[in-house]
Amino acid sequence: MKFLLLLSALGLCWAQWDPNTRPGRTVIVHLFEWRWADIALECERYLAPRGFGGVQISPPNENVIINDPLRPWWERYQPISYKLCTRSGNEDEFRDMVKRCNDVGVHIYVDAVINHMCGNGVSAGTRSTCGSFFNPGARDFPSVPYSAWDFNDHKCRTASGDIENYNDAYQVRDCRLVGLLDLALEKDYVRSTVAEYMNRLIDIGVAGFRIDAAKHMWPGDMKAVLDKLRHLNTTWFPAETKPFIYQEVIDLGGESIKSSEYFDNGFVTEFKYGAKLGTVLRKWSGERMAYLKNWGEGWGFMPSNRALVFVDNHDNQRGHGAGGASILTFWDSRLYKMGVAFMLAHPYGFTRVMSSFHWPRYFVNGKDINDWMGPPNDDGVIKEVTINPDTTCGNGWVCEHRWRQIRNMVTFRNVADGQPFANWWDNGSNQVAFGRGNKGFIVFNNDEWPLSAYLQTGLPAGTYCDVISGDKIDNKCTGMKIYVSADGNAHFSISNSAEDPFIAIHEESKLENLH
């Protein structure tokens, strides 16, 4: 009886950290700054058929309009109210997106900006996306409503009112992050108001939340908000399902605030992941892929069952946030595809794929002075995501999630879900391989010489399509074929100059016997 009670308690506990994706779908994608109408269409035409589990969307609530029409991406992180109208669409379009995506089994995860309102430097009378009046100087946001009583000005002890020392946890959590007006989440009114906004989204049908700037809120205050959240909408989710929570906590070590302080509230973003993987694939500081054998907790990362992992995100692909120059992005497409493939093949963490837009990079003294630029637009209106004949995106959208090498690795991860890390091989340098039980196997060559080796795959005998160089279509391979013998071994040959110097095979890429 005690054992059954323990199992029941564990089940209730784990429910709080369940990503809520449908069985067999293990990856979410961040469709950064997409319109709601385009996300709805992408769920139906691409994400559901390709096995994606969900979409992280940009903040859906009203924000300040900066420098119209040259509007930066970061204006989305300066809230004015919790009304659902942004340049991505209005409330009706938001509701339509959530319904259409849920109906095809692709769930929506909202980027929730609840630490602050807009910056203290924004002038009263500046326009907002819903047209709401606000006065940052007076701390007056009547569309919420918030007043001066609802902000942390009285608690911050720095001369500027902003964070001045990241080794002081009180400053980080009680003072303004780059001038953004810091909400007093210790107040029950503020907690209840934030929870009311999030519950409204839950009722509409979202599956969970990315908590922006979680590091700048006390874990206990966040827990008080999360405890007020309702269960998910039973139209699409089982009864008493809790929303999935993952918190943005930048912890590269050396500061007073630790990721582990937030584990009780949900998953946490593991920023060390992309920074370290980029360093390894760039072969900086003497790193080599052979050292990835104990990737994960062995590298000082948080526990796998608390880690939301990614190669890059909307901040650090622009040099903000964490990771610096080591971060791999679509600008480094060859290494980037390798990094994302490694992430999706490896069992550590819950994975999020980035989907970006282009901007004209212009460097001055090593800094991209155009990193502020918002999404492709016509006079401030976001452009439609158009699809080219080869299924890539046009109109300035990068759509990494549609790259063959990445979308096929999403399938690899789904197929290998729950299978153990197995059959590691390396050459002591930058040629490595590993499998996932008897479901999948991947080989990388990041050295400056060719790879040619017979390796134990752990897979059943047969002919497999390499899902990096092509697809399996009508029981034929459009790319390379890999022959696995009865003992599970196969020969792999990868040129060091190949466009994609890696090969991946899995159970569903095996050709059926032809008679």
Side-chain angles (χ1 to χ4, degrees):
M1 185 61 155
K2 287 182 179 178
F3 178 69
L4 290 175
L5 288 172
L6 176 61
L7 280 179
S8 176
L10 285 172
L12 289 171
C13 175
W14 276 106
Q16 186 171 346
W17 294 274
D18 188 338
N20 298 323
T21 53
R22 282 192 179 178
R25 300 189 182 191
T26 61
V27 182
I28 64 174
V29 57
H30 184 188
L31 298 182
F32 182 47
E33 286 272 23
W34 281 41
R35 303 182 312 157
W36 307 148
D38 287 327
I39 293 175
L41 191 56
E42 189 73 349
C43 285
E44 295 166 339
R45 70 189 173 192
Y46 197 84
L47 299 180
R50 295 292 180 178
F52 284 83
V55 178
Q56 178 183 310
I57 64 169
S58 294
N61 59 300
E62 181 178 22
N63 60 265
V64 66
I65 294 176
I66 304 288
N67 296 331
D68 192 22
L70 300 176
R71 298 166 59 179
W73 63 267
W74 46 259
E75 76 169 35
R76 299 291 288 264
Y77 293 86
Q78 298 210 28
I80 298 304
S81 79
Y82 299 126
K83 296 177 182 178
L84 300 180
C85 50
T86 65
R87 61 183 170 192
S88 288
N90 60 32
E91 181 170 342
D92 287 343
E93 291 166 320
F94 180 83
R95 289 177 176 272
D96 180 65
M97 169 193 67
V98 173
K99 180 184 186 303
R100 288 167 61 186
C101 289
N102 277 337
D103 284 350
V104 294
V106 181
H107 297 148
I108 299 297
Y109 303 84
V110 168
D111 197 346
V113 186
I114 61 174
N115 170 68
H116 55 263
M117 300 301 280
C118 72
N120 64 331
V122 177
S123 302
T126 302
R127 292 194 304 129
S128 58
T129 52
C130 298
S132 296
F133 169 81
F134 62 101
N135 185 346
R139 310 300 192 254
D140 185 20
F141 296 86
S143 291
V144 179
Y146 286 140
S147 69
W149 297 102
D150 302 315
F151 293 88
N152 272 333
D153 299 279
H154 66 289
K155 290 184 70 178
C156 179
R157 295 292 182 261
T158 65
S160 65
D162 291 350
I163 301 165
E164 297 175 359
N165 178 8
Y166 271 81
N167 285 313
D168 182 339
Y170 290 89
Q171 283 190 36
V172 175
R173 288 160 170 161
D174 293 337
C175 297
R176 295 188 302 252
L177 168 65
V178 294
L180 298 163
L181 299 177
D182 201 65
L183 285 167
L185 278 175
E186 65 186 24
K187 292 186 59 176
D188 188 65
Y189 171 73
V190 177
R191 293 172 176 176
S192 297
T193 302
V194 168
E196 180 182 358
Y197 161 60
M198 297 173 74
N199 278 329
R200 186 176 172 208
L201 296 170
I202 287 171
D203 291 346
I204 290 171
V206 307
F209 301 91
R210 171 195 182 263
I211 307 296
D212 179 67
K215 175 180 181 176
H216 300 281
M217 294 175 273
W218 292 96
D221 289 343
M222 280 189 53
K223 183 179 186 303
V225 172
L226 299 176
D227 285 347
K228 294 176 181 291
L229 299 188
R230 291 194 279 271
H231 293 130
L232 299 186
N233 190 318
T234 55
T235 303
W236 299 286
F237 302 96
E240 300 189 1
T241 300
K242 293 185 177 183
F244 178 47
I245 301 296
Y246 54 105
Q247 306 154 92
E248 184 201 20
V249 180
I250 300 175
D251 174 15
L252 297 178
E255 292 183 12
S256 61
I257 293 174
K258 307 300 180 189
S259 297
S260 56
E261 298 175 53
Y262 294 83
F263 289 168
D264 288 345
N265 289 337
F267 271 54
V268 180
T269 50
E270 180 51 279
F271 277 87
K272 298 188 191 78
Y273 192 102
K276 293 289 188 182
L277 188 58
T279 300
V280 172
L281 290 179
R282 293 183 190 279
K283 296 182 273 193
W284 289 355
S285 304
E287 296 285 10
R288 55 186 67 178
M289 290 191 77
Y291 300 158
L292 296 174
K293 183 176 183 178
N294 66 336
W295 184 247
E297 291 93 341
W299 279 62
F301 299 166
M302 66 183 71
S304 179
N305 62 7
R306 288 294 181 273
L308 189 288
V309 299
F310 45 94
V311 173
D312 65 329
N313 77 345
H314 68 280
D315 272 318
N316 62 20
Q317 70 173 197
R318 291 166 169 77
H320 304 288
S326 72
I327 297 298
L328 298 170
T329 72
F330 68 87
W331 299 108
D332 314 293
S333 62
R334 187 173 186 264
L335 287 178
Y336 185 73
K337 286 180 283 186
M338 293 178 67
V340 175
F342 184 90
M343 175 184 75
L344 293 174
H346 197 280
Y348 177 84
F350 182 72
T351 52
R352 180 185 65 198
V353 171
M354 184 67 197
S355 192
S356 314
F357 56 80
H358 287 283
W359 70 92
R361 292 202 293 180
Y362 188 75
F363 289 91
V364 175
N365 296 324
K367 175 174 170 42
D368 180 3
I369 63 172
N370 284 340
D371 62 9
W372 58 271
M373 286 190 169
N377 68 91
D378 289 314
D379 292 326
V381 178
I382 296 180
K383 287 184 178 181
E384 174 189 1
V385 179
T386 57
I387 306 302
N388 300 320
D390 64 356
T391 77
T392 61
C393 293
N395 247 357
W397 300 94
V398 179
C399 296
E400 299 96 314
H401 70 285
R402 279 177 166 262
W403 294 0
R404 180 188 68 249
Q405 302 85 345
I406 291 176
R407 50 110 157 137
N408 281 352
M409 285 305 301
V410 170
T411 302
F412 182 107
R413 188 172 191 83
N414 291 341
V415 170
D417 186 33
Q419 293 293 308
F421 181 75
N423 294 307
W424 175 268
W425 169 87
D426 67 71
N427 70 340
S429 184
N430 291 290
Q431 297 178 358
V432 303
F434 63 90
R436 295 292 303 281
N438 62 353
K439 299 289 188 181
F441 193 74
I442 191 165
V443 188
F444 296 88
N445 178 16
N446 198 29
D447 272 326
E448 295 176 2
W449 56 87
L451 178 154
S452 180
Y454 284 92
L455 303 175
Q456 174 55 243
T457 68
L459 271 60
T463 301
Y464 292 77
C465 298
D466 166 38
V467 298
I468 304 305
S469 60
D471 297 291
K472 174 188 169 185
I473 298 177
D474 297 329
N475 205 38
K476 296 179 181 178
C477 302
T478 64
M480 290 189 295
K481 294 179 181 179
I482 300 295
Y483 302 94
V484 176
S485 61
D487 61 2
N489 284 294
H491 180 259
F492 294 90
S493 178
I494 306 175
S495 168
N496 55 297
S497 61
E499 178 185 353
D500 298 314
F502 56 106
I503 291 171
I505 57 177
H506 59 75
E507 182 180 59
E508 291 185 6
S509 76
K510 183 181 177 183
L511 298 180
E512 299 172 9
N513 291 328
L514 301 176
H515 300 287

